[in-house]
Amino acid sequence: MVVRRDLPFQALQAQSNMVTHEGDKKIEVEAKPRSIPTPGAGQKVYEIDPLLLGFRDHIDYRYAQYKRMREDIDKYEGGLEVFSRGYEKLGFICSETGITYREWAPGARSAALIGDFNNWNPNADIMSQNEFGVWEIFLPNNADGSPPIPHGSQVKIRMETQSGIKDSIPAWIKFSVQAPGGISYSGIYYDPPEEEKYVFKHPHPKRPKSLRIYESHVGMSSTEPKINTYANFRDDVLPRIKRLGYNAVQIMAIQEHSYYASFGYHVTNFFAPSSRFGTPDDLKSLIDGAHELGLFVLMDIVHSHASNNVLDGLNMFDGTDSHYFHSGTKGHHWMWDSRLFNYGSWEVLRFLLSNARWWLEEYKFDGFRFDGVTSMMYTHHGLQVTFTGNYSEYFGYATDVDAVIYLMLVNDMIHGLYPEAVTIGEDVSGMPTFCLPVQGGGVGFDYRLHMAVADKWIELLKKRDEEWQMGDIIHTLTNRRWLEKCVVYAESHDQALVGDKTIAFWLMDKDMYDFMALDKTSTPLIDRGIALHKMIRLITMGLGGEGYLNFMGNEFGHPEWIDFPRGEQRLHSGKVIPGNNFSYDKCRRRFDLGDAGKLRYHGMQEFDKAMQHVEDEYGFMTSEHQYVSRKDEGDRVIVFERGNLVFVFNFHWHESYFDYRVGCLRPGKYKIVLDSDDPLFGGFNRLKHDVEYFSSEGWYDDRPRSLLVYAPCRTAVVYALVEDKQKPIGELQPEENIKPVEEAAEPVEESKPLDC
């Protein structure tokens, strides 16, 4: 149950308006003309999935608690729209007459604002506390009218706590930096002059019907061994993403994190963009630049846990371990070594809801990928648990109802105020109702990240080709819930990290170092690797979901792994983990390899580019028509339809099939629109692309019609129905069928791979 533990702003508000200090400008926080729908009946989920009726007590209880929370927010805060603007009340609030600073720290015994502006004097600006644990101070403007805290000043809050004196970065700080050569961070009062503030010039792009996401990390996006900047990413990487055919960029590691090697997942300052890459205005310029190119911008947001860093983050902020987090072991994630939020706390809800809104409102992000949602939804955090699909695993005592209600609230807020925004949840459990609307009883996400597919590919790559089962591949790709959309990927940043392997490295291993130049003779391992790399990515996109994700560089089989700069680490056990001398050599992306026409990486990149553009033209990922007509374990062939396209995959390592019959639904003429064996993609040119393929009547593989094709070994081919200038099949005269299907299926006698 969600507990309303503290309501500090009842005392500060009057009819949803903020009461301010004498001389301070009154800051109105009345609802803007955007609205969040009122809760519905919460019963639609049972119509969609009648099996949920067996767990109605839990689901109805969950929805009743959600409705109660909405009612309490309406009663005490003036509604979710107002409640989610906590950044207008907490932290630094600038007005015409001065600056107000407020901080919720109920465990502190005394508090003072310190910084450059007052020479770090803890006696200069003493704060007062109200009955709800909120500390506050108002600093009037200087006599000359200048602000009492200059832009760029370092600031902290000094508190006397039960564990001693503690200097903390304000929880709602909008920017923080690490001093050169220093260890800890300092909060920065960021309020540049109006003429220096970035002004957005371009509107949000329309929400794509099918998401093709390029997962990115700004810091490692340079070809050089260094930390890249927002500006360079805007100028160099965004045009690349657009050129490759992706329509969305998902940016990791935006929220400030003191430990670079955490990949941005151990957040210390939730409202501050990482200063490693530039200023807040630099980030705004990046997002505006993406919008100019028509790219949707998603932020990888972390609300599942927080850094355990006491110096820079929220941990022990006011001297207690139960401030923003659960106390004791419940508040610690033993595997991630991080703190776990108490989603039953009123102020934690304010903090997280406002945080999500801040990034959408201030920076114009188009949506989020919520990290670690499985960890949030269960008290066991998904650790040492195997989800079998039994509904009792999702609706029982192991479910953290408070966390699920928070997810419902944040999705409600986002979709109500920003209808075009997209939310993606990283959930490996397969929680039913996860991607159904909140009003109908769902959790409210637009997409689930389909994580099982990447695990399946790694599992298969550890086996011999002869052990791959076509039915197993199909089951993994299609095993998703009806009406709940998924973003699928063959590999993400997880597989690229040191200690793991990318698909390309699993396939080609050390041969990648010596045989990727076109002027060198290839090897069987390279031929196999390049062929399967293309096939794996295409079948994943073609059958695995309604959206697709790729981590930057993996489209061309980026060699090696990601290894953040780090020093030697000595564990409590005495074990020493060697470092890499703080090297950035493997913390970058070698885009030059994919661009080099003399290397085989280029063909892999060109295939991925072509794959994105075929999806853009035909929209097959969001087509309602999807049918798998063949999964032949003997031939090692998979055939399926999606939209007006027919996909043919031959995974056999040496058997090529002439005049191979494949089923299809619609009558007419088909053409090849994507061929992994095209020499442009590093293939062996065994198919003619000017050949036309005509369907013939008669049931085959449970399809009313069929085509005869040539299916070379280790090749994927996509056939599209040619609709323009085509008569319906019933109107065709015999003589109009110019070329027999059998003739259209003749193979091309060209060079063949070594193992064919």
Side-chain angles (χ1 to χ4, degrees), residues 306-346:
S307 170
N308 66 4
N309 184 326
V310 175
L311 290 176
D312 305 320
L314 296 179
N315 190 20
M316 302 293 291
F317 184 87
D318 66 351
T320 68
D321 75 337
S322 59
H323 184 202
Y324 282 93
F325 313 107
H326 289 292
S327 60
T329 57
K330 187 177 181 181
H332 290 266
H333 196 293
W334 62 265
M335 180 175 283
W336 295 344
D337 192 23
S338 56
R339 297 305 312 273
L340 297 171
F341 286 107
N342 177 6
Y343 302 102
S345 164
W346 190 266

CSV table of all heavy atoms in Angstrom, one decimal, residues 306-346:
chain,number,residue,atom,x,y,z
A,306,ALA,N,19.5,4.1,-7.0
A,306,ALA,CA,20.4,5.3,-7.0
A,306,ALA,C,21.8,4.9,-6.5
A,306,ALA,O,21.9,3.9,-5.8
A,306,ALA,CB,19.8,6.4,-6.1
A,307,SER,N,22.7,5.7,-6.8
A,307,SER,CA,24.1,5.5,-6.4
A,307,SER,C,24.2,5.4,-4.9
A,307,SER,O,23.4,6.2,-4.2
A,307,SER,CB,25.0,6.6,-6.9
A,307,SER,OG,26.3,6.5,-6.3
A,308,ASN,N,25.0,4.6,-4.3
A,308,ASN,CA,25.2,4.6,-2.9
A,308,ASN,C,26.3,5.6,-2.4
A,308,ASN,O,26.7,5.6,-1.3
A,308,ASN,CB,25.6,3.2,-2.4
A,308,ASN,CG,27.0,2.7,-2.9
A,308,ASN,OD1,27.7,3.5,-3.6
A,308,ASN,ND2,27.3,1.5,-2.6
A,309,ASN,N,26.7,6.5,-3.4
A,309,ASN,CA,27.7,7.5,-3.1
A,309,ASN,C,27.1,8.5,-2.0
A,309,ASN,O,26.1,9.2,-2.3
A,309,ASN,CB,28.0,8.2,-4.4
A,309,ASN,CG,29.1,9.3,-4.3
A,309,ASN,OD1,29.2,10.0,-3.2
A,309,ASN,ND2,29.9,9.4,-5.3
A,310,VAL,N,27.7,8.6,-0.9
A,310,VAL,CA,27.3,9.5,0.2
A,310,VAL,C,27.7,10.9,0.0
A,310,VAL,O,27.0,11.9,0.3
A,310,VAL,CB,27.8,9.0,1.6
A,310,VAL,CG1,27.4,9.9,2.7
A,310,VAL,CG2,27.2,7.6,1.8
A,311,LEU,N,28.9,11.1,-0.7
A,311,LEU,CA,29.4,12.5,-0.9
A,311,LEU,C,28.6,13.2,-1.9
A,311,LEU,O,28.3,14.4,-1.7
A,311,LEU,CB,30.9,12.4,-1.3
A,311,LEU,CG,31.9,11.9,-0.3
A,311,LEU,CD1,33.3,11.8,-0.9
A,311,LEU,CD2,31.9,12.9,0.9
A,312,ASP,N,28.2,12.6,-3.0
A,312,ASP,CA,27.7,13.3,-4.2
A,312,ASP,C,26.2,13.1,-4.4
A,312,ASP,O,25.6,13.9,-5.1
A,312,ASP,CB,28.4,12.9,-5.5
A,312,ASP,CG,29.9,13.1,-5.3
A,312,ASP,OD1,30.3,14.2,-4.8
A,312,ASP,OD2,30.7,12.3,-5.8
A,313,GLY,N,25.7,12.0,-3.9
A,313,GLY,CA,24.3,11.6,-4.2
A,313,GLY,C,23.3,11.7,-3.1
A,313,GLY,O,23.5,12.5,-2.1
A,314,LEU,N,22.2,11.0,-3.2
A,314,LEU,CA,21.1,11.0,-2.2
A,314,LEU,C,21.3,10.1,-1.0
A,314,LEU,O,20.6,10.2,0.0
A,314,LEU,CB,19.8,10.6,-2.9
A,314,LEU,CG,19.3,11.5,-4.0
A,314,LEU,CD1,18.0,10.9,-4.6
A,314,LEU,CD2,19.1,12.9,-3.5
A,315,ASN,N,22.2,9.2,-1.1
A,315,ASN,CA,22.4,8.2,0.0
A,315,ASN,C,22.8,8.9,1.3
A,315,ASN,O,23.8,9.7,1.3
A,315,ASN,CB,23.5,7.2,-0.4
A,315,ASN,CG,23.6,6.1,0.6
A,315,ASN,OD1,22.7,5.8,1.3
A,315,ASN,ND2,24.7,5.4,0.6
A,316,MET,N,22.1,8.6,2.3
A,316,MET,CA,22.3,9.3,3.7
A,316,MET,C,22.3,10.8,3.6
A,316,MET,O,23.0,11.5,4.3
A,316,MET,CB,23.7,8.8,4.2
A,316,MET,CG,23.8,7.3,4.4
A,316,MET,SD,22.8,6.6,5.6
A,316,MET,CE,23.5,7.2,7.1
A,317,PHE,N,21.5,11.3,2.7
A,317,PHE,CA,21.4,12.7,2.4
A,317,PHE,C,21.3,13.6,3.7
A,317,PHE,O,22.0,14.5,3.9
A,317,PHE,CB,20.3,13.1,1.4
A,317,PHE,CG,20.3,14.5,1.0
A,317,PHE,CD1,21.0,15.0,0.0
A,317,PHE,CD2,19.4,15.4,1.7
A,317,PHE,CE1,20.9,16.3,-0.4
A,317,PHE,CE2,19.4,16.8,1.3
A,317,PHE,CZ,20.1,17.2,0.2
A,318,ASP,N,20.3,13.2,4.5
A,318,ASP,CA,20.1,13.9,5.8
A,318,ASP,C,20.6,13.2,7.0
A,318,ASP,O,20.1,13.4,8.1
A,318,ASP,CB,18.6,14.3,5.9
A,318,ASP,CG,17.7,13.0,6.1
A,318,ASP,OD1,18.2,11.9,6.0
A,318,ASP,OD2,16.5,13.2,6.5
A,319,GLY,N,21.5,12.2,6.7
A,319,GLY,CA,22.1,11.5,7.8
A,319,GLY,C,21.3,10.2,8.2
A,319,GLY,O,21.8,9.5,9.1
A,320,THR,N,20.2,9.9,7.5
A,320,THR,CA,19.5,8.7,7.8
A,320,THR,C,19.5,7.9,6.5
A,320,THR,O,19.5,8.4,5.4
A,320,THR,CB,18.0,9.0,8.2
A,320,THR,OG1,17.3,9.6,7.0
A,320,THR,CG2,18.0,10.0,9.3
A,321,ASP,N,19.4,6.6,6.7
A,321,ASP,CA,19.3,5.7,5.5
A,321,ASP,C,17.9,5.5,4.9
A,321,ASP,O,17.7,4.8,4.0
A,321,ASP,CB,20.0,4.3,5.8
A,321,ASP,CG,19.1,3.4,6.6
A,321,ASP,OD1,18.2,3.9,7.3
A,321,ASP,OD2,19.3,2.2,6.6
A,322,SER,N,16.9,6.1,5.6
A,322,SER,CA,15.5,6.0,5.2
A,322,SER,C,15.0,7.2,4.6
A,322,SER,O,13.7,7.4,4.6
A,322,SER,CB,14.7,5.5,6.4
A,322,SER,OG,14.8,6.5,7.4
A,323,HIS,N,15.8,8.1,4.1
A,323,HIS,CA,15.3,9.4,3.6
A,323,HIS,C,14.6,9.2,2.3
A,323,HIS,O,13.3,9.3,2.3
A,323,HIS,CB,16.5,10.3,3.4
A,323,HIS,CG,16.2,11.7,3.0
A,323,HIS,ND1,17.1,12.5,2.4
A,323,HIS,CD2,15.0,12.4,3.1
A,323,HIS,CE1,16.5,13.7,2.1
A,323,HIS,NE2,15.3,13.7,2.5
A,324,TYR,N,15.3,8.9,1.2
A,324,TYR,CA,14.6,8.6,0.0
A,324,TYR,C,14.4,7.1,-0.3
A,324,TYR,O,13.8,6.7,-1.2
A,324,TYR,CB,15.4,9.2,-1.2
A,324,TYR,CG,15.3,10.7,-1.4
A,324,TYR,CD1,16.2,11.6,-0.8
A,324,TYR,CD2,14.2,11.2,-2.2
A,324,TYR,CE1,16.0,13.0,-1.0
A,324,TYR,CE2,14.1,12.6,-2.3
A,324,TYR,CZ,15.0,13.4,-1.7
A,324,TYR,OH,14.8,14.8,-1.9
A,325,PHE,N,15.0,6.3,0.6
A,325,PHE,CA,15.1,4.9,0.3
A,325,PHE,C,14.5,4.1,1.5
A,325,PHE,O,14.3,4.6,2.6
A,325,PHE,CB,16.6,4.5,0.1
A,325,PHE,CG,17.3,5.4,-0.8
A,325,PHE,CD1,18.3,6.3,-0.3
A,325,PHE,CD2,17.1,5.4,-2.2
A,325,PHE,CE1,18.9,7.2,-1.2
A,325,PHE,CE2,17.7,6.2,-3.0
A,325,PHE,CZ,18.7,7.1,-2.6
A,326,HIS,N,14.3,2.8,1.2
A,326,HIS,CA,13.9,1.9,2.3
A,326,HIS,C,15.1,1.8,3.2
A,326,HIS,O,16.3,1.8,2.8
A,326,HIS,CB,13.6,0.5,1.7
A,326,HIS,CG,12.3,0.5,1.0
A,326,HIS,ND1,11.1,0.6,1.6
A,326,HIS,CD2,12.0,0.3,-0.3
A,326,HIS,CE1,10.1,0.5,0.7
A,326,HIS,NE2,10.7,0.3,-0.5
A,327,SER,N,14.9,1.6,4.5
A,327,SER,CA,15.9,1.4,5.5
A,327,SER,C,16.4,-0.1,5.5
A,327,SER,O,15.7,-1.0,5.0
A,327,SER,CB,15.5,1.8,6.8
A,327,SER,OG,14.4,1.1,7.3
A,328,GLY,N,17.6,-0.3,6.0
A,328,GLY,CA,18.1,-1.7,6.2
A,328,GLY,C,18.3,-2.3,4.8
A,328,GLY,O,18.5,-1.7,3.8
A,329,THR,N,18.3,-3.7,4.9
A,329,THR,CA,18.6,-4.5,3.7
A,329,THR,C,17.6,-4.3,2.6
A,329,THR,O,17.9,-4.4,1.4
A,329,THR,CB,18.7,-6.0,4.0
A,329,THR,OG1,17.5,-6.4,4.6
A,329,THR,CG2,19.8,-6.2,5.0
A,330,LYS,N,16.4,-3.9,2.9
A,330,LYS,CA,15.3,-3.7,1.9
A,330,LYS,C,15.7,-2.5,1.0
A,330,LYS,O,15.3,-2.4,-0.1
A,330,LYS,CB,14.0,-3.4,2.6
A,330,LYS,CG,12.8,-3.3,1.6
A,330,LYS,CD,11.5,-3.1,2.4
A,330,LYS,CE,10.3,-3.0,1.4
A,330,LYS,NZ,9.0,-2.8,2.1
A,331,GLY,N,16.5,-1.6,1.5
A,331,GLY,CA,16.9,-0.4,0.7
A,331,GLY,C,18.2,-0.6,0.0
A,331,GLY,O,18.7,0.4,-0.5
A,332,HIS,N,18.8,-1.8,0.0
A,332,HIS,CA,20.1,-2.0,-0.7
A,332,HIS,C,19.9,-3.1,-1.8
A,332,HIS,O,19.3,-4.2,-1.5
A,332,HIS,CB,21.2,-2.4,0.3
A,332,HIS,CG,21.6,-1.3,1.2
A,332,HIS,ND1,22.7,-0.5,0.9
A,332,HIS,CD2,21.1,-0.9,2.4
A,332,HIS,CE1,22.8,0.4,1.9
A,332,HIS,NE2,21.8,0.2,2.8
A,333,HIS,N,20.4,-2.9,-3.0
A,333,HIS,CA,20.4,-3.9,-4.0
A,333,HIS,C,21.8,-4.5,-3.9
A,333,HIS,O,22.8,-4.0,-4.3
A,333,HIS,CB,20.2,-3.2,-5.4
A,333,HIS,CG,19.9,-4.1,-6.5
A,333,HIS,ND1,20.7,-5.1,-7.0
A,333,HIS,CD2,18.7,-4.3,-7.2
A,333,HIS,CE1,20.1,-5.8,-7.9
A,333,HIS,NE2,18.9,-5.3,-8.1
A,334,TRP,N,21.8,-5.8,-3.5
A,334,TRP,CA,23.0,-6.5,-3.2
A,334,TRP,C,23.9,-6.7,-4.5
A,334,TRP,O,25.1,-6.8,-4.4
A,334,TRP,CB,22.8,-7.8,-2.4
A,334,TRP,CG,22.0,-8.8,-3.1
A,334,TRP,CD1,20.7,-9.1,-3.0
A,334,TRP,CD2,22.5,-9.8,-4.1
A,334,TRP,NE1,20.3,-10.1,-3.8
A,334,TRP,CE2,21.4,-10.6,-4.5
A,334,TRP,CE3,23.7,-10.1,-4.6
A,334,TRP,CZ2,21.5,-11.7,-5.4
A,334,TRP,CZ3,23.9,-11.2,-5.5
A,334,TRP,CH2,22.7,-11.9,-5.9
A,335,MET,N,23.2,-6.9,-5.6
A,335,MET,CA,24.0,-7.1,-6.8
A,335,MET,C,24.5,-5.9,-7.4
A,335,MET,O,25.7,-5.8,-7.9
A,335,MET,CB,23.1,-7.9,-7.9
A,335,MET,CG,23.9,-8.2,-9.1
A,335,MET,SD,22.9,-9.2,-10.3
A,335,MET,CE,23.1,-10.8,-9.5
A,336,TRP,N,23.7,-4.8,-7.4
A,336,TRP,CA,24.1,-3.5,-8.0
A,336,TRP,C,24.9,-2.7,-7.1
A,336,TRP,O,25.5,-1.6,-7.5
A,336,TRP,CB,22.9,-2.8,-8.6
A,336,TRP,CG,22.2,-3.5,-9.7
A,336,TRP,CD1,22.7,-4.5,-10.5
A,336,TRP,CD2,20.9,-3.2,-10.2
A,336,TRP,NE1,21.7,-4.8,-11.4
A,336,TRP,CE2,20.6,-4.1,-11.2
A,336,TRP,CE3,19.9,-2.3,-9.8
A,336,TRP,CZ2,19.4,-4.1,-11.9
A,336,TRP,CZ3,18.7,-2.3,-10.5
A,336,TRP,CH2,18.4,-3.1,-11.5
A,337,ASP,N,24.9,-3.0,-5.8
A,337,ASP,CA,25.5,-2.2,-4.8
A,337,ASP,C,25.0,-0.7,-4.8
A,337,ASP,O,25.8,0.2,-4.9
A,337,ASP,CB,27.1,-2.2,-4.9
A,337,ASP,CG,27.8,-1.6,-3.7
A,337,ASP,OD1,27.2,-1.6,-2.6
A,337,ASP,OD2,28.9,-1.1,-3.9
A,338,SER,N,23.7,-0.6,-4.8
A,338,SER,CA,23.0,0.7,-4.9
A,338,SER,C,21.8,0.8,-3.9
A,338,SER,O,21.5,-0.2,-3.3
A,338,SER,CB,22.6,0.9,-6.3
A,338,SER,OG,21.8,-0.1,-6.8
A,339,ARG,N,21.3,1.9,-3.8
A,339,ARG,CA,20.1,2.2,-2.9
A,339,ARG,C,18.8,2.0,-3.7
A,339,ARG,O,18.7,2.4,-4.9
A,339,ARG,CB,20.2,3.6,-2.3
A,339,ARG,CG,21.4,3.8,-1.4
A,339,ARG,CD,21.6,2.8,-0.3
A,339,ARG,NE,20.3,2.6,0.4
A,339,ARG,CZ,19.9,3.3,1.5
A,339,ARG,NH1,20.7,4.3,1.9
A,339,ARG,NH2,18.8,3.0,2.1
A,340,LEU,N,17.8,1.6,-3.0
A,340,LEU,CA,16.5,1.3,-3.6
A,340,LEU,C,15.4,2.3,-3.0
A,340,LEU,O,15.3,2.4,-1.8
A,340,LEU,CB,16.0,-0.1,-3.3
A,340,LEU,CG,17.0,-1.2,-3.9
A,340,LEU,CD1,16.6,-2.6,-3.4
A,340,LEU,CD2,16.9,-1.1,-5.4
A,341,PHE,N,14.7,3.0,-3.9
A,341,PHE,CA,13.8,4.0,-3.5
A,341,PHE,C,12.6,3.4,-2.7
A,341,PHE,O,12.2,2.2,-3.0
A,341,PHE,CB,13.2,4.7,-4.7
A,341,PHE,CG,14.2,5.7,-5.3
A,341,PHE,CD1,14.8,5.4,-6.5
A,341,PHE,CD2,14.4,6.9,-4.7
A,341,PHE,CE1,15.7,6.2,-7.1
A,341,PHE,CE2,15.3,7.8,-5.3
A,341,PHE,CZ,16.0,7.5,-6.5
A,342,ASN,N,12.0,4.2,-1.8
A,342,ASN,CA,10.8,3.8,-1.1
A,342,ASN,C,9.6,4.5,-1.9
A,342,ASN,O,9.3,5.7,-1.7
A,342,ASN,CB,10.8,4.4,0.3
A,342,ASN,CG,9.5,4.1,1.0
A,342,ASN,OD1,8.6,3.4,0.5
A,342,ASN,ND2,9.4,4.7,2.3
A,343,TYR,N,9.0,3.7,-2.8
A,343,TYR,CA,8.0,4.3,-3.6
A,343,TYR,C,6.7,4.5,-2.9
A,343,TYR,O,5.7,5.0,-3.4
A,343,TYR,CB,7.7,3.3,-4.8
A,343,TYR,CG,9.0,3.1,-5.7
A,343,TYR,CD1,9.7,1.9,-5.5
A,343,TYR,CD2,9.4,4.0,-6.6
A,343,TYR,CE1,10.8,1.7,-6.3
A,343,TYR,CE2,10.5,3.8,-7.3
A,343,TYR,CZ,11.3,2.6,-7.2
A,343,TYR,OH,12.4,2.4,-7.9
A,344,GLY,N,6.7,4.1,-1.6
A,344,GLY,CA,5.5,4.5,-0.7
A,344,GLY,C,5.6,5.8,-0.1
A,344,GLY,O,4.7,6.2,0.7
A,345,SER,N,6.7,6.5,-0.3
A,345,SER,CA,6.9,7.8,0.3
A,345,SER,C,6.3,8.9,-0.6
A,345,SER,O,6.6,9.0,-1.8
A,345,SER,CB,8.4,8.1,0.6
A,345,SER,OG,8.6,9.4,0.8
A,346,TRP,N,5.6,9.8,0.0
A,346,TRP,CA,4.9,10.9,-0.7
A,346,TRP,C,6.0,11.8,-1.4
A,346,TRP,O,5.9,12.1,-2.5
A,346,TRP,CB,4.1,11.8,0.3
A,346,TRP,CG,3.3,12.8,-0.3
A,346,TRP,CD1,3.6,14.1,-0.6
A,346,TRP,CD2,1.9,12.6,-0.8
A,346,TRP,NE1,2.5,14.8,-1.1
A,346,TRP,CE2,1.5,13.9,-1.3
A,346,TRP,CE3,1.0,11.6,-0.9
A,346,TRP,CZ2,0.2,14.1,-1.8
A,346,TRP,CZ3,-0.2,11.8,-1.4
A,346,TRP,CH2,-0.6,13.0,-1.8
